[in-house]
Amino acid sequence: MAQQFNNRVYGFAMIKSINSNYNADFSGQPRKLPNGKVYATDKALKYSIRYYWKHALQENVFYFKSLTDDMSPRTLDETYEKNFGKITKKGNELRKELLKNILSVLDVKLFGGTYAGATNVSIHGSCQITHGLNRFPEDVIYSEQIMSPFRNPGEKSKESTMTTLGTQSKLEEGHYVHHLSLNPKNIEEDVERVGAEGLTQSNIDKLKEGLRKGASFYDSAAKAGTENEMLFWVKLKEGSKLVMPSFIEFVDVAKNGTIDLRKIATYLKDDAVKQEIETLEIYYNKAVTNVINLPENVNFQTI
Amino acid sequence: MQLISFDLQSNFGFFRKPETNNTLNVSYNMIHKPALLGILGAIIGLAGYRKKGELPEYYEKLADLKIGIAPLDHDNGNFSKTPIKYSNTVGYANKGTNFLTEELTLISPKYRVYLLLDEAIETQRRLLDNLERGNSEFIPYFGKNEFTAWWDKQSVIKHNYTLAALNENESVPILSLFAKNQNITKNSELAEVNFLGAWESDENPFMYFERLPVGFNLNLMQYQLEEMVFSNYEIMNAHTLPNLYHLLTENRYVQLH
């Protein structure tokens, strides 16, 4: 049996985005709050992690778009059958079998999922990621015109001799901070019910790798320039049930890009908090990222 | 019995109003009792929804708990909101096509929660213990699990209190949301805002109204709604309000329901 992972973890993942568009809204601009602050949904980060698992680690990922031979996306039941074979059972038996099968997949164990197809199952994932807020003091979005190389005649402009114009928007500089938590207890009961394998150390290593490399690995035209900047990982002692506040507002980024962790260091220094912590890890690249006021006893590694 | 309060907050929140259609999903502005009980249940590790038509364990065990809610860092009772649009392209949600949904999400919601706890009851004793230590069995969240919520254990306060004993015509400040039209008998007057009272505070006077769930209608299995009020005006005829508690140190009142 693989080594089980039973500790609670808190941390944050920081995504740097320079002249890039990490997470767009439906107008194509980076998502903005009413006060003008740029943010990104948890889905953007999870997508990059799932993509990394699937394409870099060749890991099986369940909640991911896949296409049938005629290029239409598979339904949930079709995806299930592709992974685990034809659905033959019914009712409670099916529920149990399905739960066991999808709980064996890495992304379901960590991020959970809702199954609403041949039967209904809902799994509360063990790893929860929050929306990421841009902690850089400025939120400068610019748009530029781009030209398509093709003529695109329409009903009214059959004679058009021009190629079409479009717009793309980018964020000049952003440092998005996503708070994250990991609580193995979330899936404990489901794991016991069907006798599946719980969270293992190897699952956690893959999660950390995804959090460190996923966004950098994913290079689309819009997301070129978006990279994983930092991962901060606080592993609590086994059995600790401490709730930590969101780290988002604890991270300050100066105009020159220097990251100040003073507020986190102060929070972690508190005795009641300190005694619950097993290890503190931080991952970033010293060559490009400048960090000040690191917490005590933190293990540094390059991202 | 202990009357305690603690401050619960998150970066975002979404307490879905079930009576909305698919174009824009909206959230209650205030956390409400059924949602709060879910968070308290998570703190002591009670189970959630299991089966259609069956109440979750946390509701069975905590429904009788007396709670009061007050928004913090608000703008006349309101939190700012932003519409967040999500697309789901995996094809599970809507056969073969993209599924789009839009949710009007609360930004930085923060609430002071008042609880009347009976330490003779094991679940409530455990709740108090976990709140004071800053511990939670499951990590709480505001409506959707990406909106992680937390409290500072220093914010847990035990109040000196008595059940309010008010005279008619006495106006008092009420710190929490209170139900507008409760138990009105023939000859009693409605509790209402005292517009003529002296105004000594720096804040602007305001009143905030919202129809909020206070529990479940068990026959229909849907929220039971009640008109709730939040105001910094003094409230006249507060003696008609049931379950009003007097916080002695602060000399303020809260309604627990």
Side-chain angles (χ1 to χ4, degrees):
Chain A
M1 191 123 176
Q3 197 194 343
Q4 293 293 308
F5 189 88
N6 296 321
N7 304 61
R8 197 176 281 197
V9 173
Y10 292 90
F12 67 86
M14 200 164 176
I15 309 292
K16 177 166 84 172
S17 184
I18 307 279
N19 292 323
S20 175
N21 192 346
Y22 170 42
N23 188 208
D25 65 14
F26 282 71
S27 65
Q29 298 212 341
R31 287 172 186 267
K32 263 189 312 187
L33 295 175
N35 64 6
K37 267 272 147 235
V38 168
Y39 73 99
T41 64
D42 58 311
K43 278 85 186 153
L45 183 60
K46 283 189 206 156
Y47 181 80
S48 76
I49 297 169
R50 288 192 167 107
Y51 186 92
Y52 182 83
W53 285 341
K54 191 173 162 71
H55 292 96
L57 303 182
Q58 268 75 47
E59 188 72 34
N60 195 11
V61 176
F62 188 75
Y63 283 94
F64 208 79
K65 181 170 167 175
S66 71
L67 299 177
T68 55
D69 295 338
D70 56 1
M71 297 286 283
S72 66
R74 284 194 174 85
T75 67
L76 190 51
D77 287 335
E78 283 165 1
T79 309
Y80 180 81
E81 291 189 336
K82 177 180 155 258
N83 278 289
F84 304 109
K86 267 241 151 312
I87 296 176
T88 49
K89 290 180 180 157
K90 272 207 165 77
N92 281 342
E93 261 182 52
L94 172 64
R95 272 180 74 125
K96 254 185 131 173
E97 184 186 78
L98 190 135
L99 184 63
K100 183 171 183 177
N101 279 335
I102 62 173
L103 251 188
S104 68
V105 189
L106 182 64
D107 71 313
V108 180
K109 264 188 186 179
L110 287 163
F111 300 150
T114 302
Y115 195 97
T119 181
N120 294 311
V121 172
S122 170
I123 299 169
H124 184 177
S126 49
C127 175
Q128 296 299 339
I129 295 173
T130 71
H131 282 31
L133 285 166
N134 180 20
R135 297 298 291 163
F136 190 65
E138 286 178 349
D139 301 84
V140 182
I141 295 170
Y142 61 91
S143 296
E144 53 207 3
Q145 301 270 290
I146 45 174
M147 194 162 62
S148 141
F150 306 109
R151 189 171 70 90
N152 192 9
E155 281 283 311
K156 285 180 191 157
S157 53
K158 276 192 183 128
E159 308 298 296
S160 168
T161 55
M162 295 295 175
T163 59
T164 39
L165 282 176
T167 316
Q168 66 179 12
S169 301
K170 307 230 150 160
L171 180 69
E172 196 175 282
E173 177 163 359
H175 299 263
Y176 297 86
V177 179
H178 294 269
H179 175 75
L180 58 97
S181 66
L182 184 105
N183 184 6
K185 194 176 156 84
N186 289 355
I187 58 166
E188 204 173 70
E189 215 172 283
D190 286 331
V191 162
E192 270 170 34
R193 182 175 299 132
V194 295
E197 187 189 48
L199 278 182
T200 64
Q201 185 59 47
S202 126
N203 295 152
I204 300 303
D205 293 342
K206 283 174 189 155
L207 171 67
K208 281 161 90 173
E209 193 171 336
L211 284 164
R212 273 160 41 221
K213 297 178 174 165
S216 308
F217 180 77
Y218 188 86
D219 260 340
S220 65
K223 288 187 179 64
T226 297
E227 277 162 15
N228 292 89
E229 186 166 33
M230 184 185 285
L231 173 66
F232 188 72
W233 186 266
V234 184
K235 182 173 158 194
L236 302 189
K237 290 183 178 150
E238 205 167 326
S240 170
K241 288 166 184 166
L242 191 69
V243 177
M244 285 195 177
S246 160
F247 289 152
I248 294 174
E249 263 133 46
F250 285 3
V251 181
D252 288 310
V253 181
K255 259 196 156 169
N256 62 6
T258 300
I259 299 164
D260 186 350
L261 298 182
R262 183 180 49 82
K263 289 175 193 161
I264 290 191
T266 314
Y267 171 74
L268 294 175
K269 242 195 281 184
D270 183 78
D271 279 337
V273 175
K274 202 154 83 184
Q275 65 182 16
E276 305 274 337
I277 296 172
E278 188 171 302
T279 54
L280 270 183
E281 292 164 43
I282 193 166
Y283 299 83
Y284 63 94
N285 187 342
K286 278 192 171 157
V288 290
T289 309
N290 184 21
V291 184
I292 54 171
N293 296 321
L294 278 171
E296 293 165 12
N297 306 320
V298 65
N299 302 315
F300 167 81
Q301 268 171 294
T302 298
I303 198 161
Chain B
M1 300 286 265
Q2 300 235 32
L3 204 167
I4 66 151
S5 71
F6 67 103
D7 299 350
L8 198 56
Q9 62 177 310
S10 175
N11 296 116
F12 295 94
F14 186 78
F15 305 110
R16 186 183 302 277
K17 280 192 187 180
E19 66 268 25
T20 49
N21 63 17
N22 255 336
T23 46
L24 177 69
N25 293 284
V26 295
S27 165
Y28 290 107
N29 181 66
M30 301 287 180
I31 192 170
H32 48 76
K33 188 170 181 182
L36 180 65
L37 293 184
I39 289 177
L40 301 178
I43 291 172
I44 49 176
L46 301 180
Y49 283 90
R50 283 294 155 81
K51 234 183 187 167
K52 216 172 179 172
E54 232 173 62
L55 284 172
E57 184 191 8
Y58 73 79
Y59 197 80
E60 302 272 356
K61 292 216 168 126
L62 299 174
D64 295 334
L65 201 62
K66 291 256 177 279
I67 62 120
I69 289 157
L72 294 173
D73 302 341
H74 55 86
D75 180 11
N76 293 355
N78 287 290
F79 293 103
S80 46
K81 302 172 185 72
T82 187
I84 301 181
K85 233 178 190 180
Y86 299 96
S87 73
N88 183 341
T89 56
V90 284
Y92 309 157
N94 233 13
K95 276 211 174 99
T97 52
N98 284 356
F99 174 70
L100 300 177
T101 184
E102 194 168 2
E103 292 174 346
L104 197 60
T105 309
L106 304 175
I107 302 171
S108 304
K110 186 174 181 185
Y111 306 96
R112 179 157 296 161
V113 175
Y114 296 90
L115 297 174
L116 191 61
L117 294 174
D118 184 351
E119 283 171 297
I121 299 172
E122 194 264 343
T123 46
Q124 301 191 13
R125 193 170 57 235
R126 209 142 43 91
L127 180 59
L128 179 62
D129 192 52
N130 273 0
L131 285 172
E132 284 182 320
R133 289 165 191 253
N135 284 351
S136 183
E137 294 286 336
F138 298 109
I139 298 166
Y141 54 83
F142 274 179
K144 301 185 75 188
N145 57 26
E146 61 262 35
F147 302 146
T148 189
W150 69 94
W151 72 96
D152 184 349
K153 64 183 177 188
Q154 262 88 44
S155 76
V156 181
I157 298 168
K158 290 182 174 164
H159 297 275
N160 292 319
Y161 73 100
T162 59
L163 201 60
L166 294 168
N167 302 321
E168 281 181 49
N169 306 324
E170 200 176 341
S171 302
V172 296
I174 299 183
L175 288 179
S176 68
L177 283 154
F178 61 93
K180 200 173 129 198
N181 298 325
Q182 285 183 323
N183 298 346
I184 295 163
T185 50
K186 256 186 217 159
N187 296 318
S188 70
E189 279 183 84
L190 229 72
E192 61 181 63
V193 168
N194 182 3
F195 288 109
L196 303 172
W199 195 259
E200 285 162 5
S201 156
D202 303 336
E203 344 168 36
N204 289 321
F206 70 90
M207 271 182 297
Y208 175 89
F209 297 92
E210 187 176 5
R211 274 163 65 77
L212 287 169
V214 291
F216 288 101
N217 179 325
L218 294 182
N219 295 321
L220 299 170
M221 279 306 272
Q222 66 184 30
Y223 284 148
Q224 189 183 332
L225 299 170
E226 191 102 50
E227 184 90 29
M228 305 290 275
V229 187
F230 179 68
S231 176
N232 55 1
Y233 278 109
E234 293 199 347
I235 307 301
M236 278 198 298
N237 291 318
H239 66 279
T240 62
L241 294 173
N243 297 316
L244 203 61
Y245 290 82
H246 187 187
L247 307 182
L248 298 168
T249 320
E250 297 83 354
N251 194 21
R252 293 280 188 281
Y253 291 78
V254 289
Q255 191 188 48
L256 306 182
H257 62 89

